[in-house]
């Protein structure tokens, strides 16, 4: 397997451009249909818009066609709404990240059916957000926008700033001012505007919605607003890759971290599409959602059997997941309930333990969101909600170096010595 981002011939380059299967946008609430426009809310009912596909074109896609594509997300372009001509893409070419067999963690948890970690820390800006931003930036270019902007809990900011730098367009990234230093620095280094806002993500998101209405930002693609329908489709590639990397098979169980809930819904959508296209067999799957106790609105709705999600004020160390008013919460609940899954929530100490467990047993260093997912996996196994005899895939959506802060007080050198054998002896390392 080639490392993501490495030079690799794009075999679709110069070859035939596959047809775009997207035929418009559809309201997930009332079913109203629109053209391929830059809007995220339905003009009829304000419901969320999503890409509507020509089902016959999607069903015509084959394994062979995908396998002949480049070693990144664009191998699935025949199932995506933008970027069919490689010349139109604005991208760091993310994707085809490792699917790591986690046998030692499986043994510790008593999982006998097989455990895999989909490690999206291997993407170019070290989180799964490169998948969505590559689609959003490509849509922004095709719509002719002059600049690109977002409200972010950190990883989106990193990826938008990097894509803007690559494309040579100005970007405006808005983040809560109390983000981890690693995420602030990684957003700032690309030399674009980085606006730290004294407020939480939901405050930042409200601010950028107001900003989008001003004359100065009329020419701006807001990644999670006007181009959100295109952005969100990028998450499907995580589902496609898992199936392909398992040898065109869908795992029985998957654990997905939730912020807005979008990624979880798109993994499910990706698998339904692969089944509809006859690319994989419908063996059934259960989707499990993971949240932190500091920001658990979807978990609370699940526990209470609610269809709507009651907003919360987020706290806690899993800052990339700290969206108190999750836009896709109801749709995530739908997917979890329809597939017979469940939701877990874990506190900060368990999150740190989850990060350490994954690192110690698999050599994968996850950010706090990955700690949430691994700790929730443990919880769901303990509660008997995950079947240990069936295969499980857990998603690591971000890199541990981005969120060192909660680890600094708990891990460090095990010994501290002078450069002499005498000192090593005194430290008990040799007799
Ligand atoms: C954004 C993010 C998520 C969740 O994304 P949603 O699609 O909003 O649920 C998960 N993990 C990490 C590290 C993220 O940055
Ligand atoms: Zn509608």
């Amino acid at each position: 397997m080639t490392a993501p981002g490495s030079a690799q011939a794009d075999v679709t380059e110069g070859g035939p451009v596959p047809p775009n299967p997207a035929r418009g946008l559809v309201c997930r609430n009332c079913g109203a249909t629109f053209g391929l426009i830059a809007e995220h809310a339905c003009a009829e009912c304000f419901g969320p818009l999503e890409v509507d596909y020509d089902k016959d074109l999607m069903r015509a896609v084959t394994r062979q066609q995908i396998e002949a594509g480049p070693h990144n997300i664009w191998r699935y372009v025949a199932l995506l709404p933008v970027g069919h001509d490689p010349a139109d893409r604005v991208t760091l070419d993310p994707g085809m990240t490792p699917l790591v067999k986690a046998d030692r963690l499986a043994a510790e948890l008593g999982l006998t059916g097989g455990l895999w970690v989909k490690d999206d820390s291997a993407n170019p800006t070290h989180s799964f957000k490169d998948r969505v931003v590559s689609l959003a930036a490509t849509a922004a270019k095709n719509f002719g926008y002059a600049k690109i902007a977002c409200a972010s809990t950190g990883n989106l900011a990193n990826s938008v700033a990097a894509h803007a730098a690559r494309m040579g367009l100005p970007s405006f990234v808005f983040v809560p001012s109390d983000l981890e230093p690693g995420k602030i620095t990684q957003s700032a280094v690309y030399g674009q505007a980085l606006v730290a806002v004294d407020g939480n993500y939901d405050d930042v998101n409200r601010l950028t919605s107001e900003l989008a209405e001003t004359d100065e930002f009329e020419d701006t693609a807001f990644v999670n607003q006007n181009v959100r329908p295109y952005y969100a489709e990028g998450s499907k590639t995580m589902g496609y890759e898992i199936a392909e990397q398992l040898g065109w098979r869908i795992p029985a169980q998957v654990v997905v971290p939730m912020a807005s809930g979008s990624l979880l819904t798109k993994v499910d959508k990706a698998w339904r599409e692969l089944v509809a296209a006859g690319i994989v067999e419908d063996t059934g799957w259960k989707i499990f959602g993971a949240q932190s106790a500091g920001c658990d609105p979807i978990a609370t709705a699940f526990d209470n059997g609610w269809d709507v999600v009651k907003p919360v004020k987020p706290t806690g160390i899993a800052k990339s997941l700290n969206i108190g008013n999750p836009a896709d919460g109801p749709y995530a609940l739908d997917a979890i309930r329809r597939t017979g899954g469940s939701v877990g929530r874990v506190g900060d100490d368990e999150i740190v333990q989850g990060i350490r467990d994954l690192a110690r047993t698999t050599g994968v260093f996850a950010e706090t969101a990955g700690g949430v997912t691994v700790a929730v996996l443990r919880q769901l196994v303990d509660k008997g909600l995950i079947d240990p005899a069936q295969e499980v895939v857990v998603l690591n959506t971000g890199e541990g170096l981005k969120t060192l802060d909660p680890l600094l007080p708990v891990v460090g050198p095990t010994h501290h010595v002078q450069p002499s054998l005498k000192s090593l002896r005194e430290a008990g390392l040799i007799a």
Side-chain angles (χ1 to χ4, degrees):
M1 195 180 282
T2 314
S6 66
Q8 175 114 14
D10 184 337
V11 298
T12 62
E13 208 124 46
V17 172
N20 186 351
R23 60 180 178 194
L25 301 182
V26 59
C27 174
R28 282 196 286 185
N29 186 44
C30 76
T33 56
F34 304 87
L36 288 166
I37 55 175
E39 290 288 344
H40 74 304
C42 174
E44 309 283 329
C45 76
F46 299 107
L49 298 180
E50 116 175 297
V51 176
D52 187 23
Y53 292 100
D54 180 324
K55 303 282 184 304
D56 290 332
L57 277 180
M58 300 238 338
R59 271 195 286 267
V61 176
T62 64
R63 287 182 189 179
Q64 292 69 25
Q65 185 183 345
I66 292 168
E67 287 165 355
H71 198 78
N72 56 52
I73 59 167
W74 299 110
R75 68 202 279 105
Y76 306 105
V77 75
L79 301 165
L80 297 173
V82 294
H84 300 87
D85 184 343
D88 287 342
R89 295 175 195 160
V90 178
T91 183
L92 306 178
D93 289 333
M96 288 309 272
T97 55
L99 185 69
V100 180
K101 189 111 199 288
D103 289 339
R104 298 188 60 231
L105 182 58
E108 244 187 58
L109 298 177
L111 297 174
T112 53
L115 173 64
W116 303 82
V117 179
K118 177 62 171 165
D119 186 14
D120 252 23
S121 68
N123 276 319
T125 74
H126 312 290
S127 85
F128 100 89
K129 291 298 198 299
D130 289 331
R131 300 176 182 276
V132 280
V133 175
S134 276
L135 269 78
T138 298
K141 180 187 169 189
N142 296 350
F143 282 122
Y145 284 111
K147 46 191 198 277
I148 183 164
C150 71
S152 171
T153 57
N155 286 316
L156 185 62
N158 295 169
S159 187
V160 167
H163 278 78
R166 182 72 62 90
M167 119 170 108
L169 278 187
S171 68
F172 292 80
V173 159
F174 294 79
V175 295
S177 55
D178 70 348
L179 273 197
E180 300 93 340
K183 293 218 172 124
I184 295 280
T185 305
Q186 204 201 330
S187 297
V189 74
Y190 301 108
Q192 306 274 329
L194 171 65
V195 185
V197 180
D198 291 333
N200 62 31
Y201 171 82
D202 301 286
D203 298 323
V204 178
N205 199 37
R206 204 175 321 113
L207 178 64
T208 56
S209 302
E210 289 173 27
L211 183 67
E213 302 300 318
T214 64
D215 292 344
E216 290 83 352
F217 280 80
E218 206 178 46
D219 60 351
T220 307
F222 282 83
V223 165
N224 33 10
Q225 290 163 29
N226 51 13
V227 294
R228 184 174 175 92
Y230 308 94
Y231 155 94
E233 293 296 284
S235 292
K236 292 192 305 182
T237 61
M238 203 138 163
Y240 299 144
E241 284 176 23
I242 291 168
E244 183 175 356
Q245 290 172 320
L246 288 173
W248 294 116
R249 214 159 45 66
I250 296 177
Q253 307 171 101
V254 64
V255 189
V256 185
M258 299 188 292
S260 73
S262 176
L263 171 62
L264 183 142
T265 66
K266 298 298 176 177
V267 168
D268 178 64
K269 186 179 184 188
W271 291 347
R272 284 186 283 126
E273 288 173 355
L274 293 182
V275 167
I279 290 174
V280 297
E281 218 182 301
D282 186 1
T283 42
W285 59 86
K286 289 186 177 184
I287 303 205
F288 297 85
Q291 291 207 294
S292 75
C295 183
D296 61 353
I298 305 176
T300 301
F302 182 83
D303 288 348
N304 290 296
W306 301 337
D307 292 332
V308 292
V309 175
K310 209 171 111 207
V312 302
K313 259 210 171 358
T315 59
I317 61 171
K319 294 188 182 187
S320 58
L321 302 182
N322 279 354
I323 296 185
N325 188 9
D328 288 275
Y331 304 98
L333 288 167
D334 274 351
I336 294 162
R337 288 179 177 137
R338 174 170 38 77
T339 62
S342 186
V343 183
R345 63 161 79 64
V346 286
D348 285 354
D349 290 346
E350 290 166 284
I351 295 168
V352 169
Q353 197 55 50
I355 294 171
R356 298 178 71 181
D357 288 345
L358 182 64
R360 180 174 47 77
T361 59
T362 65
V364 170
F365 182 21
E367 70 143 82
T368 46
V372 168
T373 310
V374 170
V376 163
L377 167 68
R378 183 185 285 278
Q379 182 182 79
L380 294 170
V381 173
D382 288 348
K383 287 185 172 172
L385 293 166
I386 278 190
D387 179 353
Q390 300 252 14
E391 196 163 47
V392 190
V393 173
V394 296
L395 307 192
N396 174 36
T397 45
E399 160 67 50
L401 293 172
K402 289 179 181 239
T403 58
L404 289 176
D405 325 44
L407 290 166
L408 296 178
V410 289
V411 295
T414 55
H415 303 80
H416 191 160
V417 300
Q418 301 306 308
S420 69
L421 287 180
K422 176 170 170 280
S423 181
L424 293 180
R425 201 168 289 123
E426 282 164 8
L429 283 164
I430 52 174

